[in-house]
Amino acid sequence: RWIKFEEKVEDGGERWSAPHVPALPLHSLFQLRTCLQKGTMLLDLDALSFKEIIDKALSGQPEEAELQPELRERLAALLLRQPRHQPTKSLLQLLTELGLSPCRGRHGAWPWLLHPECQAAASLSFQLRNRFKKKVPLGAEAAHVVVGEVEFLEKPFTAFIRLRRGVALGSLAEVALPSRFLFILLGPQAKVKAYHEVGRAMATLLMDELFQRVAWQAEHREDLIAGMEVFLDELTVLPPRKWDPSARIPPLSCLLSPHRRTTMPLPDQQSHSNGNMAAAGDRASLGHPCSREELERTGRLFGGLLRDIRRKAPWYGSDFSDALHPQCLSAVLYIYLATVTNAITFGGMLGDATANMQGVLESFLGTAFAGSIFCLFSGQPLTILSSTGPMLVFERLLFSFSQDHSLDYLEFRLWIGLWVAFFGVVLVATEASHLVRYFTRFTEEGFCALISLIFIYDSLKKMLSLADAFPINWQYRLDNVTSYSCVCNLSSPGSWARGWGGPEVSMHDPSSLPALSPQPPAAPAGLSRTQCLGRGGHLLGTSCQYVPDVTLVSFLLFGGTFLSCTALKCFRSSRYFPAGVRKLVSDFAIILAILASCAVDATLGLETPKLLVPSELKPTNPVRGWFVFPFGANPWWVCLVSVVPAVLVTILIFMDQQITAVILNRREYKLQKGAGFHLDLLCVSLLMVVTSATGLPWYVSATVISLAHMESLRKESATSAPGEHPEFLGIREQRLTGLAVFVLTGVSVFMAPVLKHIPMPVLYGVFLHMGVAALNSIQLTDRMRLLLMPAKHQPDLAYLRHVPLHRVHLFTIIQLLCLALLWVLKSTMAAIIFPVMV
């Protein structure tokens, strides 16, 4: 059988083979051409049953090949016999049905062959229960190829039939489909192998997209012959004894489209893909949005903004209805945990940089408010807003400058934010976003690679810092356990509290270690480390600094989460379990990995660092309030001086926002609802006013988290032919997942009792997975691998067919040098200008 690739019944007739590319003898194609030239040809035949088709085919023979009436009757009876289909059921189902079938014969396994009175019912029942139909695309029609040898024929009988309209021919097909084409080849004995190969050639032709068009539109025999000649022109012949003809060629992951075959007829001009989304296609398909309508100037004030609104408004209703899919639930949970971790990380660093004028709580509230507003009104709601590294550097510099010059930090920051919002509106009014069309792949990949490496570096840095908080016990020796002790020395003389070595110096746990010394009757019993220090005491002993190997377990959770995320994400292409199960596991891969790691952590019971979120709605620094007043704390001229740093922040936000927007709106993501570069910039600019007035952090698009959001919403074809990889259909474009993520971030303050059970190493493992996944999505990673590969082992990438290898390596090395320069720049106080350097 064929859908797009050939499948054979294995020896023994128990199972279908794996789908493979058909390999045909060249002679069979020439024989097929002869059959089409000399055999019966019925185009646009009107018939409603298989019997009527056979009668007209036998009566429509050329005079020189007309059969005798007796032979026609015998041939018709042979062709009208009930077909036998190869079942695609499990062994258990087959055994059950064979045991319970009322039509089961004494010796046979096929009831409809042994009992003619129930043939039709059994075959139709088989069709209805055949799960193979799920693999057939909607609107498909069947073509039947009948070949064989007959003892009563002296010369071959050949017929090619095309019906005027698709007709259901009962149980002729394996699944219930309308039939359109039939090819019949029956001949004398001793040539069955030749007939079989001619039938395979006919089936292969009918599966070719270009020949299908010819077969549908042909009006004469010559049209079919011409279509076959085109097929032969594209044929590739392998020499004998240079390969094994019995070898089955697996299907490629990405095939050349029929349109590309018609526009690029020469084999050397064809461009295949390696299946990677970032490296897929040739130079035409990897174009940047320089010619897109979103970035064309209108020449009017706010012209681009109005065009963005008109483009996005018709989709606003579907932006919510399209989110009603289970895949969106997994995306919400995944991105929510990433956003919460990011908010805690940047909130903690902001608190250190600004003396808690902005802290974790402000980061949570700002993320929730800014993200929700952006998802409701932006042009690309799949974007996730977050604080970024350059913003953190600017906040640190601004706070230091304010302290050195006795200025109020929040008021100074308010005026900078107001000027940034004004400049942003001016950029939107003048359609400055059209400059995005000049961003090249070099710029995009450098920016994306840098942000991805920052994610990877920060996750590893956070894990290594655990060794400071939970030092590894290098000096611990099991044989010296009797000499380890820890006691609490209270401030009052003579007051002693006996302690035991153990996790977190658990002096209250008498089961941890045997008593080291008798406890004085007057001393309070069971003091913990916290109680001891709270009473003004101090700890004495060789085991007071002992902690269990939390660092080791944390690294195991970190690595296990990363590997689990990666393995479960790739489970979609696994050979195990049905396609529905694989898709479900892949969609919820991150959540399953987090739950598994949390279960391991809970089972071990060690005090690994946990996710801690604020539990009270009050400013981190009690000195400040929730609203910042523009006048009173600073001199009047500060509002004018603020223009200078505001220009720098405007450039930073414009570059950071628009480079991320270009990456998210690549053509290869197949977005259908369009982009909104001007509308996105306006939303970010107006949000600067609110976040500055309330003393919340400033926000811009987060590249890595946004890419992870889009990857978690990938759509693929629900049905695919056996051997065919599911087709990438695009991204599930909607507003609800981002909105739900930010609403959950806002209410996380009330979910602290639940979130405190999630270990931070698990979330750092998710961060590492996000960084590695984003790094693997760019072409730079593929070209870096090429630097380490001999030429004969390099994959057949499109750009290697058009660009000399030494030029590819030169381009890659220049990119790596620029990336190293950006990394050095990022590590200094000049990191604030790194988007401009990109």
Side-chain angles (χ1 to χ4, degrees):
R1 68 183 179 193
W2 283 255
I3 292 186
K4 282 195 172 181
F5 302 100
E6 183 179 17
E7 295 178 80
K8 296 179 179 179
V9 179
E10 303 284 19
D11 293 340
E14 297 297 332
R15 62 185 291 270
W16 287 101
S17 70
H20 55 276
V21 179
L24 303 173
L26 186 60
H27 191 61
S28 65
L29 289 167
F30 295 147
Q31 288 180 315
L32 175 61
R33 182 171 57 183
T34 302
C35 292
L36 293 178
Q37 289 172 340
K38 299 182 178 180
T40 302
M41 182 78 63
L42 299 176
L43 302 177
D44 292 334
L45 178 66
D46 283 316
L48 298 177
S49 66
F50 188 50
K51 184 177 185 305
E52 186 178 356
I53 295 172
I54 296 301
D55 291 341
K56 291 185 177 181
L58 292 175
S59 60
Q61 284 188 287
E63 293 183 2
E64 63 275 9
E66 187 173 1
L67 296 174
Q68 297 295 326
E70 180 185 353
L71 292 180
R72 278 193 304 206
E73 291 179 5
R74 295 180 65 182
L75 201 56
L78 176 65
L79 291 172
L80 292 174
R81 290 183 60 182
Q82 190 69 28
R84 184 185 73 177
H85 298 295
Q86 172 67 24
T88 55
K89 305 173 185 178
S90 66
L91 179 61
L92 181 61
Q93 288 176 315
L94 286 175
L95 294 175
T96 302
E97 292 186 5
L98 290 176
L100 300 179
S101 173
C103 298
R104 182 175 180 270
R106 178 179 301 177
H107 304 289
W110 306 109
W112 54 87
L113 292 180
L114 300 175
H115 293 267
E117 63 272 12
C118 60
Q119 287 179 359
S123 297
L124 291 175
S125 175
F126 171 79
Q127 276 188 333
L128 294 175
R129 295 194 307 270
N130 193 349
R131 292 178 296 175
F132 182 69
K133 189 173 183 179
K134 293 189 298 184
K135 296 288 186 180
V136 180
L138 293 176
E141 294 181 327
H144 305 277
V145 177
V146 181
V147 296
E149 59 180 7
V150 183
E151 70 276 3
F152 56 80
L153 287 179
E154 297 181 355
K155 54 185 178 180
F157 167 76
T158 306
F160 180 86
I161 304 165
R162 184 185 69 199
L163 302 178
R164 185 179 299 275
R165 54 185 174 274
V167 177
L169 299 179
S171 60
L172 187 64
E174 184 179 354
V175 292
L177 290 174
S179 301
R180 177 74 65 168
F181 296 98
L182 289 95
F183 176 75
I184 303 172
L185 173 59
L186 298 175
Q189 292 181 336
K191 293 186 178 181
V192 63
K193 182 173 178 59
Y195 300 151
H196 179 72
E197 295 300 334
V198 172
R200 290 182 62 240
M202 186 73 251
T204 303
L205 268 178
L206 289 173
M207 289 301 101
D208 182 73
E209 291 89 347
L210 296 185
F211 186 81
Q212 283 179 16
R213 299 177 189 174
V214 174
W216 270 78
Q217 301 170 4
E219 298 181 358
H220 307 285
R221 187 190 304 267
E222 290 74 18
D223 297 334
L224 278 177
I225 303 301
M228 188 172 179
E229 294 293 341
V230 173
F231 180 86
L232 291 172
D233 289 341
E234 294 188 75
L235 201 64
T236 300
V237 179
L238 295 175
R241 293 186 299 278
K242 299 300 181 182
W243 76 300
D244 183 6
S246 63
R248 293 171 179 171
I249 306 173
L252 294 177
S253 58
C254 188
L255 301 175
L256 196 65
S257 67
H259 174 73
R260 297 270 305 282
R261 286 175 57 191
T262 56
T263 56
M264 304 171 64
L266 296 178
D268 290 341
Q269 296 176 352
Q270 296 176 0
S271 176
H272 299 272
S273 168
N274 70 333
N276 186 287
M277 187 173 60
D282 58 8
R283 291 171 293 184
S285 63
L286 287 176
H288 298 280
C290 57
S291 60
R292 293 171 54 163
E293 183 259 346
E294 295 99 325
L295 297 175
E296 293 179 1
R297 299 199 64 176
T298 63
R300 303 187 304 272
L301 283 177
F302 296 102
L305 174 64
L306 295 176
R307 192 163 53 186
D308 283 352
I309 295 174
R310 285 195 296 266
R311 183 187 311 111
K312 301 298 292 187
W315 298 102
Y316 199 78
S318 65
D319 283 343
F320 294 92
S321 59
D322 289 349
L324 302 178
H325 191 276
Q327 186 182 21
C328 295
L329 176 61
S330 70
V332 168
L333 297 176
Y334 172 29
I335 303 303
Y336 163 67
L337 291 174
T339 304
V340 166
T341 308
N342 199 53
I344 290 176
T345 302
F346 276 99
M349 291 188 291
L350 275 173
D352 295 338
T354 62
N356 284 330
M357 286 298 180
Q358 298 177 74
V360 176
L361 181 64
E362 287 81 6
S363 180
F364 266 74
L365 296 181
T367 301
F369 172 76
S372 300
I373 297 299
F374 188 86
C375 287
L376 285 173
F377 302 107
S378 67
Q380 182 48 273
L382 296 175
T383 303
I384 301 296
L385 295 190
S386 172
S387 297
T388 59
M391 286 293 187
L392 177 64
V393 173
F394 178 81
E395 297 279 12
R396 183 182 291 112
L397 293 175
L398 181 63
F399 184 79
S400 300
F401 181 85
S402 301
Q403 294 291 101
D404 295 341
H405 296 82
S406 301
L407 298 175
D408 185 82
Y409 162 69
L410 290 180
E411 184 179 316
F412 192 13
R413 183 177 179 274
L414 169 62
W415 281 107
I416 295 175
L418 294 176
W419 279 113
V420 171
F422 171 74
F423 291 144
V425 173
V426 171
L427 291 175
V428 173
T430 56
E431 300 180 298
S433 295
H434 85 283
L435 297 174
V436 170
R437 66 195 304 161
Y438 300 111
F439 292 170
T440 63
R441 174 172 289 275
F442 188 97
T443 304
E444 294 176 29
E445 290 185 343
F447 183 81
C448 186
L450 181 63
I451 301 300
S452 302
L453 290 174
I454 290 175
F455 260 68
I456 296 172
Y457 173 78
D458 285 345
S459 62
L460 295 174
K461 180 181 177 182
K462 288 287 184 181
M463 289 302 302
L464 292 174
S465 66
L466 290 179
D468 298 330
F470 303 95
I472 299 176
N473 307 293
W474 301 108
Q475 285 77 31
Y476 182 83
R477 296 294 181 269
L478 184 61
D479 192 51
N480 298 335
V481 66
T482 55
S483 64
Y484 297 147
S485 66
C486 182
V487 295
C488 177
N489 183 11
L490 295 177
S491 56
S492 57
S495 298
W496 291 86
R498 199 196 66 203
W500 297 268
E504 296 292 327
V505 194
S506 53
M507 303 169 66
H508 59 281
D509 185 5
S511 63
S512 300
L513 286 175
L516 301 177
S517 61
Q519 179 178 341
L527 284 182
S528 67
R529 174 180 179 273
T530 304
Q531 291 170 338
C532 178
L533 297 178
R535 295 189 182 189
H538 59 277
L539 303 174
L540 296 176
T542 56
S543 65
C544 291
Q545 301 302 318
Y546 173 82
V547 292
D549 285 330
V550 172
T551 301
L552 175 61
V553 175
S554 297
F555 268 96
L556 292 176
L557 293 174
F558 172 73
T561 303
F562 168 71
L563 295 176
S564 299
C565 291
T566 305
L568 293 176
K569 268 294 180 184
C570 298
F571 194 68
R572 187 188 299 266
S573 57
S574 171
R575 295 178 181 270
Y576 303 102
F577 299 102
V581 175
R582 297 199 306 268
K583 184 177 184 301
L584 185 66
V585 171
S586 179
D587 288 342
F588 288 85
I590 309 301
I591 305 304
L592 292 174
I594 291 174
L595 291 177
S597 299
C598 290
V600 171
D601 176 75
T603 302
L604 295 176
L606 291 178
E607 296 182 359
T608 52
K610 299 297 193 296
L611 176 63
L612 298 178
V613 298
S615 56
E616 295 180 335
L617 287 174
K618 63 180 182 181
T620 306
N621 192 325
V623 176
R624 57 156 292 183
W626 283 119
F627 296 98
V628 181
F629 295 97
F631 299 103
N634 291 333
W636 65 270
W637 46 264
V638 171
C639 63
L640 301 179
V641 175
S642 303
V643 173
V644 178
V647 171
L648 186 59
V649 176
T650 302
I651 297 174
L652 186 152
I653 288 180
F654 179 83
M655 298 296 292
D656 209 345
Q657 171 68 34
Q658 300 297 51
I659 291 177
T660 302
V662 169
I663 294 173
L664 298 182
N665 290 283
R666 285 174 177 169
R667 282 201 180 108
E668 55 222 51
Y669 285 120
K670 299 184 180 180
L671 300 180
Q672 302 297 319
K673 299 182 180 181
F677 293 92
H678 309 280
L679 185 55
D680 289 348
L681 184 59
L682 179 67
C683 289
V684 171
S685 301
L686 296 181
L687 285 171
M688 291 287 292
V689 177
V690 182
T691 54
S692 300
T694 54
L696 300 178
W698 291 331
Y699 293 95
V700 73
S701 297
T703 307
V704 172
I705 301 181
S706 299
L707 282 173
H709 188 205
M710 295 190 71
E711 287 293 329
S712 66
L713 294 170
R714 289 170 60 92
K715 292 190 299 183
E716 293 183 342
S717 56
T719 60
S720 57
E724 181 186 27
H725 292 262
E727 180 185 0
F728 173 62
L729 302 179
I731 305 296
R732 205 172 297 280
E733 301 173 65
Q734 35 70 45
R735 299 178 184 270
L736 202 55
T737 55
L739 183 61
V741 165
F742 292 114
V743 170
L744 286 174
T745 303
V747 302
S748 294
V749 176
F750 308 103
M751 297 192 297
V754 177
L755 297 177
K756 69 179 182 180
H757 297 290
I758 303 177
M760 289 302 295
V762 172
L763 299 180
Y764 295 148
V766 174
F767 263 47
L768 178 63
H769 169 74
M770 292 168 59
V772 172
L775 197 61
N776 286 331
S777 70
I778 58 178
Q779 192 189 84
L780 173 62
T781 307
D782 292 333
R783 287 187 275 106
M784 288 173 57
R785 296 190 185 105
L786 293 180
L787 292 172
L788 306 176
M789 289 185 189
K792 64 180 180 179
H793 295 301
Q794 292 173 356
D796 186 20
L797 300 173
Y799 48 84
L800 293 181
R801 295 189 173 193
H802 302 286
V803 184
L805 184 60
H806 71 277
R807 299 295 297 273
V808 174
H809 288 338
L810 178 62
F811 183 80
T812 305
I813 292 172
I814 293 175
Q815 267 191 308
L816 292 177
L817 292 176
C818 292
L819 183 59
L821 177 62
L822 287 174
W823 184 268
V824 173
L825 186 67
K826 188 268 315 176
S827 304
T828 64
M829 297 303 291
I832 189 173
I833 64 170
F834 107 85
V836 182
M837 297 298 294
V838 173

